[in-house]
Amino acid sequence: MLKHLSLSLRFLALLALLMAGPAALAGSAGNENPADEVHDDGEVLVTASRYDNNVHLNQTNITATDLQYREPDLPIPLLLQDIPGLYAYSDAGSGLGYTYLRIRGFDQRRVGVLVNGIPFNDPEDHQLWWVDMPDLASSVEDIQVQRGVTNSMGGMTAMGGTVNIITDRLSPQKQGRLSLTTGSYGFARQMMNYQTGQLDGGLRSSLRVTHQKSDGYRDRTGVDQWGLFWSGLHQTDRMITQVNFYTGREQTHHAWNAVQEDILARDRTYNPETYSNAIDDFTQPHTEVHNTVFLNEDLTLNNSLYYVQGEGFYENFKEGQGAADFGLDLFLGLAADDDVNLVRRKYVRKDQVGWVPQLEWKHSDTDRLVIGGDWYTFHSNHWGEVMSVDGYTPGDLLVGDAGWKYHSYTGDKDAFSVYANERYALGERLTLLADLQYQHKEYTFLQNEAGNFTGMNRHGYTVQYDFFNPKAGLHFQAGKAAGGDLALFGSVGVNHREPTDNELFDTWNGGDDLEVEPLFNPDLTRIHYKDDGVTVDWREWFDPSVKEEKVMDYELGLSWVGESLSFTLGGYWMDFENEIVPYGGTSEEGLGIRGNAEKTLHRGVELGLRARLSSRNLLTMAASRSWDEFDEFLFTDWDGSQEDYSDNPIALFPDRLLSVAMRTAWNERVSSQIRVRHVGQQYLDNTGDQDRTIDAYTTVDFSLWADLSALGLEGLQGARAFLHLRNLGDTEYETYGYYDGWDGGNHYIPGSGRNFALGVDYDF
């Protein structure tokens, strides 16, 4: 720590020297050096799946210029916190490892993410595993965040919103970047990015390699990650073809367990997971092929093919487990009810192949129609192995080269959607957006024979869903008002979302737990027999108890753009049927336990503002206030008792979010930013009990950027230093949690204390 402090003091001294120069600002609005000037060019790459500036709905653009001010030690969710209605956190506290985002309080399973128009959410659990794509933000050109029910491009059925990411455009000029960063909690990052520029035959290529690691803020929450992004492009007058390949490997210690309130009061860094090798080891290569053909001036055909492969495991020590649950009565000859201490691994292998076609027809200067869809087929294989048992050698558990397999199941999903999206000018100032989408999804789950998963203890099911999702919006350019351009917008849309694989199983257990039945109608089952016609093979289930959720989303707002001030103010009203909500508590993997509530209501207002206070200072603000409550919810507890939660607030929806940042260009070489973030109260469960909450908190961060070429030393042209100081007040706060009546009440994930990141980028 003293070494880090010494580096910080030297860096501050250097900045003081640099700021002694003349206080002049560079005048070019296109300069991307963050030390050169403060600007807000607002440009974002527009694709068919995005809203452009002519049709403003509840959206926020993060431009390439904005990303120049990013904090390179943070993953994408934490980089998006300055957007209205968006909340993000890290369970390790350091920023690396498992990170999560919420939009309007809706968790990642109901936030859609598109990368170059390709869906990023896992088809089976709907999750976003950012940890598997280390330093993806270093290969991002820009991001558009669309809040609420959004358009149908990419097959999304997002409820809270869509994060639409475009990766780096390949420059015709040769260029590259080296980046070195260090920081608190043992953080270290090395990144190299190189673009070839235009080569013979219309070819361009780029490569980015990153290594980063951290010890984590909490005990035993270290992370070690490698990331790679390669892109190649071929362009002619009529066609563009681009191939992207990106992957990474992460080894992450488990930090997803929350801490009891009384323990956290004594030790902010406590981690209930004490097993030293409790790690997650995973890799997930993505391959994309994009082809754009300009058929004529009005017709453009886009086709994207992709393949995603994921493979890895996580390991835990389990104490006092029943021998039969892990098939050890069969393998080691133990009594079925013997208690054992063991180490197990849960493995998964996933493969997804998909196609995203789009045909865009510009049928006038302002109007266009997009017809498209998406299709994918997905297969997953999950299994668990016992690696060691107390009283036995690891060799006693080997079956060939692997451990004893005690459970195994597969998941297969096939889905497609078709849509038509029209933008039509009803007049010079009024524009209509209309979007019609049909979706079909089919998921099959089957437990394989393994351990004691045989006969009546072996389950399977197939579920099918067909959704029709109509959406429409109006954008009215009202003209000049108070010296700026005023626009009004409104929309209404319907979306559906099917339950995930783990939401179709028992509240406290899943498909890898013995003698646990799926949450289906027990009166509708079919017994499948083996070839002898007598021995039970497995049970097939029908009619799931957890239903698909449906939302009707109403949006209304206005935008105003002036010479030095612009803002967007919007409101939303979202009526849900059968919303899948937190019941309180988490699963073994740290995911929230969930089930249906009959009717819920989400209302809120959101403000986004940018104000150029002077030629030196830019003020940005993102604020939201929401009211999220049950309209009708009769909750059935584990013992069969019922409680009426109607009118209660819904767990884990922050009621207020605020981010205010002031960016200042001190001169042509140095700029800084001070940012204040506030997160409102969150309830830990659905009872509305004020004693079961996460307290509101406020943090203050400070950043500095400096152009090192001003030192006049040879070789420093293109070098920029940066320092990020976070949580300057060393505020003690919590980011996530749950209430557990079985285990001592409130449990929390703590946020990190005062910390920093220090580094240098070198462009060449």
Side-chain angles (χ1 to χ4, degrees):
M1 186 65 191
L2 290 175
K3 179 181 178 182
H4 292 320
L5 181 60
S6 175
L7 287 171
S8 300
L9 291 174
R10 292 179 190 177
F11 187 76
L12 290 171
L14 171 62
L15 289 172
L17 174 65
L18 290 167
M19 285 189 287
L25 282 175
S28 169
N31 195 319
E32 294 186 353
N33 187 341
D36 282 347
E37 67 164 347
V38 172
H39 60 98
D40 52 341
D41 57 12
E43 292 184 4
V44 67
L45 185 63
V46 176
T47 66
S49 60
R50 294 178 162 205
Y51 301 123
D52 60 29
N53 290 331
N54 295 324
V55 183
H56 197 111
L57 299 176
N58 276 331
Q59 75 213 43
T60 300
N61 294 329
I62 309 298
T63 67
T65 300
D66 295 325
L67 288 171
Q68 289 291 317
Y69 289 89
R70 66 178 290 266
E71 302 170 45
D73 57 318
L74 298 182
I76 286 177
L78 298 179
L79 294 176
L80 299 180
Q81 293 183 92
D82 301 324
I83 289 176
L86 194 146
Y87 172 63
Y89 68 95
S90 154
D91 59 16
S94 61
L96 291 189
Y98 280 87
T99 54
Y100 310 86
L101 66 80
R102 294 170 175 266
I103 298 180
R104 295 182 173 176
F106 296 103
D107 70 7
Q108 294 186 148
R109 285 175 282 197
R110 287 178 290 171
V111 172
V113 173
L114 294 170
V115 178
N116 300 320
I118 290 174
F120 199 64
N121 298 65
D122 185 279
E124 193 168 40
D125 57 29
H126 301 188
Q127 270 292 353
L128 296 162
W129 303 112
W130 304 100
V131 69
D132 299 329
M133 294 293 110
D135 201 27
L136 179 61
S138 286
S139 297
V140 169
E141 178 71 25
D142 57 48
I143 302 172
Q144 183 177 93
V145 177
Q146 306 162 356
R147 295 183 293 278
V149 169
T150 54
N151 63 51
S152 302
M153 314 292 186
M156 291 284 98
T157 52
M159 303 299 194
T162 298
V163 178
N164 197 318
I165 299 170
I166 299 295
T167 58
D168 278 343
R169 285 180 282 184
L170 299 185
S171 171
Q173 285 79 40
K174 197 180 295 187
Q175 61 187 43
R177 170 174 288 187
L178 296 174
S179 183
L180 299 174
T181 314
T182 187
S184 299
Y185 319 125
F187 176 75
R189 171 179 174 269
Q190 308 87 39
M191 188 276 289
M192 184 278 292
N193 191 337
Y194 178 71
Q195 293 200 26
T196 64
Q198 189 73 37
L199 302 174
D200 293 340
L203 296 172
R204 303 177 191 176
S205 183
S206 71
L207 175 68
R208 189 262 302 167
V209 179
T210 301
H211 175 245
Q212 56 191 23
K213 64 178 182 178
S214 169
D215 297 331
Y217 167 68
R218 304 170 64 195
D219 297 336
R220 298 173 299 280
T221 57
V223 179
D224 196 324
Q225 297 174 305
W226 282 93
L228 179 146
F229 192 104
W230 176 85
S231 183
L233 178 144
H234 180 262
Q235 183 172 353
T236 67
D237 292 338
R238 301 290 297 275
M239 182 184 298
I240 300 174
T241 301
Q242 184 166 353
V243 179
N244 297 326
F245 175 79
Y246 52 104
T247 187
R249 183 183 180 186
E250 56 92 4
Q251 293 179 301
T252 304
H253 285 80
H254 298 170
W256 53 57
N257 291 317
V259 184
Q260 288 176 258
E261 187 173 18
D262 57 340
I263 296 176
L264 193 63
R266 302 190 302 269
D267 184 358
R268 298 286 302 173
T269 63
Y270 182 77
N271 182 3
E273 179 58 84
T274 58
Y275 174 55
S276 61
N277 202 43
I279 61 169
D280 186 278
D281 189 322
F282 206 82
T283 184
Q284 191 180 52
H286 291 242
T287 304
E288 307 171 352
V289 180
H290 303 275
N291 178 257
T292 299
V293 181
F294 303 99
L295 300 175
N296 56 42
E297 292 184 356
D298 299 325
L299 283 175
T300 302
L301 177 63
N302 296 287
N303 280 283
S304 296
L305 299 172
Y306 64 93
Y307 172 54
V308 182
Q309 177 196 73
E311 189 169 13
F313 68 88
Y314 74 88
E315 180 176 316
N316 286 107
F317 173 77
K318 307 295 291 183
E319 185 176 11
Q321 302 297 302
D325 293 340
F326 292 84
L328 298 176
D329 52 336
L330 304 176
F331 190 65
L332 296 178
L334 301 175
D337 57 355
D338 280 351
D339 287 340
V340 295
N341 300 330
L342 55 88
V343 172
R344 66 95 196 274
R345 283 183 177 177
K346 287 187 176 180
Y347 289 86
V348 65
R349 165 71 186 256
K350 298 186 177 186
D351 295 273
Q352 181 184 2
V353 177
W355 173 41
V356 181
Q358 291 177 344
L359 178 65
E360 182 174 352
W361 173 38
K362 295 180 180 179
H363 48 91
S364 76
D365 291 340
T366 57
D367 305 334
R368 64 103 179 97
L369 171 67
V370 179
I371 297 174
D374 84 306
W375 166 88
Y376 67 77
T377 184
F378 168 88
H379 174 75
S380 69
N381 187 15
H382 305 251
W383 72 96
E385 296 180 7
V386 179
M387 311 306 294
S388 66
V389 176
D390 282 359
Y392 295 85
T393 68
D396 294 334
L397 277 301
L398 286 178
V399 179
D401 295 330
W404 161 248
K405 184 182 291 187
Y406 69 92
H407 88 83
S408 173
Y409 68 86
T410 57
D412 291 276
K413 192 169 189 178
D414 293 287
F416 71 87
S417 72
V418 292
Y419 65 83
N421 182 282
E422 169 71 14
R423 184 180 68 204
Y424 185 76
L426 299 174
E428 290 186 2
R429 296 186 175 186
L430 185 62
T431 302
L432 168 70
L433 291 177
D435 188 295
L436 301 176
Q437 181 198 47
Y438 167 74
Q439 288 184 312
H440 174 79
K441 301 181 179 184
E442 180 175 312
Y443 178 72
T444 298
F445 169 91
L446 181 62
Q447 292 172 333
N448 301 315
E449 279 196 288
N452 284 311
F453 286 83
T454 60
M456 295 294 283
N457 282 329
R458 187 174 164 221
H459 307 285
Y461 60 79
T462 296
V463 287
Q464 294 187 29
Y465 303 95
D466 292 276
F467 301 140
F468 176 60
N469 300 314
K471 311 172 185 73
L474 286 172
H475 181 270
F476 178 63
Q477 196 66 42
K480 291 291 183 181
D485 294 319
L486 175 66
L488 306 175
F489 57 86
S491 65
V492 60
V494 175
N495 253 356
H496 298 78
R497 185 185 76 100
E498 76 279 12
T500 67
D501 60 334
N502 52 39
E503 289 166 348
L504 291 174
F505 256 90
D506 183 88
T507 302
W508 302 104
N509 300 290
D512 50 2
D513 294 296
L514 188 66
E515 297 183 344
V516 173
E517 298 175 349
L519 293 177
F520 284 64
N521 187 338
D523 297 325
L524 296 176
T525 63
R526 178 187 301 156
I527 306 299
H528 292 258
Y529 294 92
K530 294 192 175 183
D531 292 341
D532 61 11
V534 177
T535 307
V536 174
D537 192 14
W538 60 287
R539 297 166 68 189
E540 185 176 8
W541 296 78
F542 303 90
D543 189 19
S545 302
V546 179
K547 304 300 182 183
E548 64 271 19
E549 54 187 8
K550 175 185 177 181
V551 62
M552 177 73 78
D553 178 27
Y554 304 92
E555 308 267 342
L556 190 65
L558 63 88
S559 66
W560 187 89
V561 179
E563 184 176 348
S564 58
L565 173 69
S566 63
F567 68 87
T568 300
L569 178 64
Y572 62 90
W573 183 292
M574 305 178 77
D575 275 318
F576 269 86
E577 295 179 14
N578 294 319
E579 181 178 351
I580 302 175
V581 298
Y583 275 359
T586 62
S587 69
E588 191 174 64
E589 290 78 21
L591 302 176
I593 301 299
R594 295 178 173 269
N596 287 121
E598 290 88 344
K599 292 184 179 181
T600 55
L601 183 60
H602 300 267
R603 297 159 293 169
V605 291
E606 298 163 335
L607 170 68
L609 179 147
R610 294 171 74 92
R612 187 181 294 280
L613 303 182
S614 71
S615 59
R616 293 176 177 270
N617 298 301
L618 176 68
L619 175 73
T620 60
M621 178 186 296
S624 63
R625 175 69 168 95
S626 66
W627 295 264
D628 307 281
E629 61 189 33
F630 297 104
D631 197 14
E632 296 179 18
F633 184 23
L634 195 62
F635 171 67
T636 302
D637 211 341
W638 63 274
D639 60 359
S641 62
Q642 290 189 324
E643 296 182 57
D644 189 356
Y645 285 163
S646 301
D647 300 323
N648 285 3
I650 304 174
L652 299 173
F653 278 72
D655 60 354
R656 292 174 175 85
L657 293 170
L658 174 66
S659 172
V660 180
M662 174 72 77
R663 195 183 302 165
T664 301
W666 295 98
N667 57 34
E668 60 191 20
R669 298 184 290 267
V670 177
S671 60
S672 68
Q673 177 176 277
I674 187 165
R675 176 176 54 213
V676 178
R677 284 193 180 123
H678 175 79
V679 177
Q681 177 180 263
Q682 303 178 62
Y683 285 87
L684 294 174
D685 67 6
N686 299 318
T687 62
D689 189 336
Q690 284 289 338
D691 293 329
R692 303 177 184 178
T693 60
I694 302 174
D695 290 338
Y697 64 88
T698 302
T699 59
V700 179
D701 304 330
F702 182 71
S703 296
L704 284 166
W705 296 267
D707 182 354
L708 297 183
S709 64
L711 294 175
L713 300 178
E714 186 177 353
L716 289 183
Q717 190 68 35
R720 295 180 305 278
F722 54 85
L723 173 66
H724 303 293
L725 302 172
R726 306 190 186 101
N727 193 7
L728 291 177
D730 205 23
T731 301
E732 293 186 354
Y733 65 97
E734 290 75 45
T735 59
Y736 179 77
Y738 54 85
Y739 176 80
D740 187 349
W742 295 92
D743 189 26
N746 296 346
H747 289 62
Y748 297 109
I749 297 286
S752 58
R754 185 184 298 115
N755 64 94
F756 79 96
L758 171 68
V760 176
D761 289 335
Y762 176 66
D763 290 340
F764 59 92

